Structure formats: structure tokens, C-alpha cells
Amino acid sequence: MVAENLAQVQKNINESCNKINRDPNEVTLIAVSKTKPVEMLKEAYDAGARVFGENKVQEIVDKYDQMPSDVKWHMIGHLQRNKVKYIVDKVYLIHSVDSLRLAEEISREAVKKQVEVNILIEVNVAQEESKFGTTTEETEKLVRDISFLPGVHIKGLMTIAPFVEDPEENRIYFRKLRQLAVDIGNKNIDNVSMSILSMGMTGDYTVAVQEGSAIVRVGT
């Protein structure tokens, strides 16, 4: 079942790309594996998945050694500062950096463990009170402040759009994030790239792909 679902999601991504003449290879599908047993992850792996996303540090730590070494782990959930030390040397990308204090902690641990950590800045585009993320207005300042930190590299932006019945309702938020990334990218800030937009989840990833998402996070 996992293999069929994976193939269907990839097919949907390909079709969304074809609609706008975009290369499907520009889109990375994260298999969101939070709360799922390792057996199911291995099933996805055997079906071709190599990129997995977790919401909790403990799950990354628990699953890390049980999965093949070529898996790329993404931290997509809210990251507490006191948990940073457990994953800086295990994750390919941290999607959820929304404060200078968190970035400083990542930098401290990166330097200590002599690793380079790639991060995305989480932006609460829809301004939902229940969600983490910086505001669109404060994003550029946060990017500039973090850009000086050793061991940390900003690769782009991430957002979690509202839960909606009609995915078209979220197009406006994806568009705003893309425009924000373009604006910041045009400033040519040292140690900052805006090459990755992580946006789009199970309910709206096809729309996100059409609006320029480079990473979609699909679990269900």
C-alpha cells in the first residue's frame, strides 16, 4: 500500500509540474514519517523513498540507526533549543527555524560538533495564532541576523499553510512566500540562499508545486 501511495503522490507532482512546464526533478518529496513504525519507513524506502521528515527530535534519534545510511532526514516540526544537540549531526535540513535564539543554539552545537547545518526560516504567512513561524515583515531582518552565525547556512523559506477543504485557498500564501524569497534573494546577502521553498502538505501540495515549491511534505 505504501508503494502505491508513494507512486500516486509522485504522479500527482509530475502532473502539476507538467501543467506549468516545470521539471519534476526540481521537486523533492518528503515522506513524512512521524509516528510511523520503522517497518513502514522501510517499506517506503524499498519503494524508492530516500527523504524522510520527522516532527520530533526523539523520533529522528530512535529511527536514525535503524534505517539505511543514505536516508536524508529532515526536521520539519517545531524545534526546542534544548533538543538541538541531539540532531545537528543527523539531519540534512532543519525546516523550522523561527527565531534568532534557536539559530544561535544550532550554530553553537554545529561548531561544537564541527558540522555545517542547513536551515530554512519558517514563516507564518497566514498569521495563524496556532502556528509557529516569524512574520513576513520580520523575515528579512531575521535572515540578516542569522547570516552571520558560523556553521549555519540559510537555504530558503518554509511555511505551513492553513488546513483548508479547497487547496486553491492556499495558493495566495504559497505565492506570498515565493515572492518573499525572491525579494530576499535579490538582496544578495552573504551566506544566504533562497533556492528552497518548503511548502505544501498532503492536502495542498499540488498547488504548492505550481507556485514554486521545491520540497513538499506528504504524510497521509
Side-chain angles (χ1 to χ4, degrees), residues 41-120:
L41 272 68
K42 286 181 174 166
E43 214 181 313
Y45 181 91
D46 291 340
R50 292 294 180 272
V51 185
F52 291 86
E54 289 288 346
N55 276 45
K56 291 194 164 64
V57 167
Q58 190 58 49
E59 286 204 56
I60 292 177
V61 173
D62 290 346
K63 294 170 181 174
Y64 186 80
D65 289 325
Q66 298 185 65
M67 290 293 288
S69 59
D70 63 337
V71 165
K72 288 179 176 172
W73 294 97
H74 289 236
M75 177 64 192
I76 58 177
H78 180 64
L79 179 57
Q80 294 167 299
R81 295 198 306 281
N82 63 347
K83 301 274 179 73
V84 167
K85 57 180 178 253
Y86 300 114
I87 60 158
V88 283
D89 55 349
K90 291 182 172 66
V91 293
Y92 179 76
L93 184 65
I94 298 173
H95 290 231
S96 48
V97 178
D98 60 356
S99 72
L100 181 58
R101 288 177 72 194
L102 175 56
E104 286 170 341
E105 187 60 35
I106 294 170
S107 174
R108 264 193 296 276
E109 291 298 331
V111 170
K112 201 185 289 182
K113 292 197 161 112
Q114 297 183 312
V115 292
E116 303 290 317
V117 183
N118 295 324
I119 68 167
L120 303 178

Side-chain angles (χ1 to χ4, degrees), residues 144-164:
R144 288 184 183 277
D145 290 343
I146 293 173
S147 70
F148 296 105
L149 299 175
V152 174
H153 306 286
I154 297 174
K155 296 295 180 183
L157 306 176
M158 177 268 229
T159 197
I160 299 174
F163 182 75
V164 290

